[in-house]
């Protein structure tokens, strides 16, 4: 029998090959070498001239690759010295996306609700962990942060507020948590500043912080989580009020 005719193949959907800029190729090669351990944290990368010769590219491609790696927190660049590999810290990683997060809050206002929810979920859990893992040194630092906030003027009140919340995160014993908390508050930016500096709010904030501290000091995880939740959701109502004022 004659073979059955083959049905024609479906047409290929367009998949154009993207042209990449040279600095992307340079950056990828440097990252591969760093990840492979060729350049350990603290060591210097080859000079611009050495990389130009090795990769066959011009100085602009090398410099742009270095700048992108610096923005990512993988290298540092000092005038007159070769780029040096660094070990990224949680704080540095959070800092790299702060501007993008603030821009998102500006152009997509509903993101504020998502961020508040994420903060409440995280910090309520951190208060619980802090109560479970509280040690005398950490409690002493938390008390010191609250004492500093009580004595702070209007200009320093915000900084002390962040320091109090960051210390609770630090007491959980995971170095990523303080960076995330500080990052979230930095992303909130003007929203958080207006909240903390709202007229008459300082005393309420201090009272709520005292309740949180007492629950953590009593090593009562449930009470600590409730005190933090009450504090943040009371603040959430002020966020909504402040946002409405800014839109008015």
């Amino acid at each position: 029998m004659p073979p059955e005719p083959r049905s024609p193949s479906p047409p290929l959907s367009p998949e154009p090959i993207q042209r990449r800029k040279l600095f992307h190729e340079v950056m990828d090669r440097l990252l591969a070498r760093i990840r492979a351990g060729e350049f350990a944290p603290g060591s210097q990368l080859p000079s611009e001239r050495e990389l130009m010769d090795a990769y066959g590219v011009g100085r602009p491609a090398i410099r742009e690759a270095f700048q992108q790696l610096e923005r990512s927190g993988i290298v540092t660049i000092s005038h007159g010295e070769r780029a040096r590999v660094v070990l990224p810290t949680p704080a540095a990683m959070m800092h790299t996306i702060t501007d993008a997060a603030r821009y998102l809050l500006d152009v997509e206002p509903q993101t504020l609700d998502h961020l508040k929810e994420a903060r409440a979920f995280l910090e309520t859990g951190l208060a619980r962990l802090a109560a479970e893992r509280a040690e005398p040194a950490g409690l002493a630092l938390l008390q010191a942060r609250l004492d500093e906030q009580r004595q702070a003027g209007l200009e320093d009140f915000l900084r002390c507020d962040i320091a109090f919340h960051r210390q609770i995160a630090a007491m959980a014993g995971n170095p990523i948590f303080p960076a995330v908390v500080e990052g979230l508050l930095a992303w909130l930016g003007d929203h958080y500043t207006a909240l903390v500096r709202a007229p008459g709010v300082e005393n309420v904030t201090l009272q709520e912080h005292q309740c949180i501290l007492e629950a953590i000091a009593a090593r009562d995880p449930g009470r600590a989580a409730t005190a933090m939740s009450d504090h943040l959701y009371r603040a959430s109502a002020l966020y909504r009020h402040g946002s409405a004022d800014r839109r008015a």
Side-chain angles (χ1 to χ4, degrees):
M1 294 178 63
E4 294 183 4
R6 295 181 179 178
S7 57
S9 300
L12 294 174
S13 58
E15 295 182 7
I17 297 175
Q18 298 295 324
R19 296 183 63 182
R20 304 186 74 203
K21 293 186 176 181
L22 286 175
F23 81 85
H24 284 135
E25 298 293 339
V26 174
M27 186 171 64
D28 286 350
R29 294 189 187 193
L30 288 173
L31 275 174
R33 296 171 71 179
I34 291 170
R35 288 170 179 160
E38 184 177 344
F39 304 109
S43 63
Q44 290 182 321
L45 292 176
S47 68
E48 291 181 357
R49 173 52 60 187
E50 289 171 319
L51 291 173
M52 289 164 59
D53 293 341
Y55 297 150
V57 298
R59 194 178 302 276
I62 302 297
R63 289 187 172 175
E64 181 63 22
F66 281 167
Q67 289 168 4
Q68 290 291 332
L69 290 172
E70 184 180 42
R71 293 187 194 106
S72 300
I74 297 171
V75 306
T76 58
I77 303 173
S78 300
H79 182 69
E81 296 183 6
R82 287 187 290 168
R84 187 179 299 276
V85 179
V86 295
L87 188 63
T89 64
M93 290 187 291
M94 294 297 293
H95 181 71
T96 61
I97 57 176
T98 293
D99 288 341
R102 285 178 170 172
Y103 172 68
L104 181 61
L105 280 166
D106 287 338
V107 299
E108 295 287 349
Q110 65 269 27
T111 303
L112 179 61
D113 289 330
H114 299 156
L115 192 55
K116 287 187 298 179
E117 183 180 49
R119 183 195 174 196
F121 180 83
L122 174 66
E123 290 209 59
T124 299
L126 288 175
R128 182 182 297 275
L129 276 179
E132 292 173 355
R133 302 174 180 178
E135 296 180 354
L139 287 169
L141 282 173
L142 188 60
Q143 182 66 64
R145 299 292 85 81
L146 182 55
D147 291 343
E148 290 169 1
Q149 191 174 20
R150 284 199 179 100
Q151 298 167 11
L154 189 60
E155 291 303 314
D156 289 330
F157 196 83
L158 174 64
R159 176 185 58 79
C160 293
D161 190 276
I162 293 173
F164 180 85
H165 285 271
R166 193 183 191 284
Q167 175 57 25
I168 292 173
M171 292 171 69
N174 184 325
I176 293 176
F177 287 144
V180 173
V181 167
E182 199 159 1
L184 285 172
L185 298 181
W187 298 351
L188 285 167
D190 292 340
H191 301 277
Y192 187 64
T193 300
L195 167 69
V196 174
R197 291 181 177 174
V201 167
E202 295 92 340
N203 288 336
V204 176
T205 295
L206 291 170
Q207 291 169 7
E208 291 171 345
H209 281 188
Q210 181 66 43
C211 290
I212 295 168
L213 186 151
E214 289 174 357
I216 293 174
R219 292 171 173 78
D220 187 334
R223 182 177 151 204
T226 298
M228 180 64 79
S229 178
D230 290 346
H231 171 55
L232 294 180
Y233 281 105
R234 187 274 305 171
S236 182
L238 288 179
Y239 272 123
R240 286 194 295 272
H241 177 71
S243 297
D245 287 346
R246 279 189 292 276
R247 288 194 299 267

